[in-house]
Amino acid sequence: LRSPRRYTKDLTCPLALYFGEDELPLLFLANLMKAEANNLKKQVRVETLPGKDHNSALAPALRKMLEFFREP
């Protein structure tokens, strides 16, 4: 299976991951990736979007992504 977590060591820039609050299995995997990234001194941000599900999380996630890329 293809999992982005397999490539954590290959990250060359910060990564932001956004999820609806009901996506518990994906959040679990994303937090494992974040822990691995921290061990490798790489930046992974995992955020839960309250009140959102997989489909309704898109618009707020896009806004947060734009903010993320604007950060210095």
Side-chain angles (χ1 to χ4, degrees):
L1 295 161
R2 293 173 289 187
S3 169
R5 196 171 133 225
R6 290 182 165 196
Y7 305 101
T8 305
K9 68 183 182 324
D10 299 322
L11 289 173
T12 59
C13 64
L15 177 66
L17 303 169
Y18 303 99
F19 298 93
E21 67 182 351
D22 68 340
E23 300 184 90
L24 297 180
L26 295 176
L27 281 165
F28 175 77
L29 294 173
N31 282 308
L32 288 176
M33 184 178 190
K34 180 180 178 176
E36 288 178 18
N38 287 341
N39 289 337
L40 296 167
K41 306 290 189 254
K42 298 183 184 266
Q43 182 186 355
V44 172
R45 176 188 298 179
V46 177
E47 283 192 44
T48 303
L49 302 169
K52 303 298 179 190
D53 62 22
H54 183 75
N55 295 312
S56 64
L58 181 59
L62 288 173
R63 285 190 293 276
K64 287 187 166 284
M65 283 182 225
L66 291 173
E67 292 171 17
F68 177 76
F69 287 114
R70 286 186 187 124
E71 292 177 4

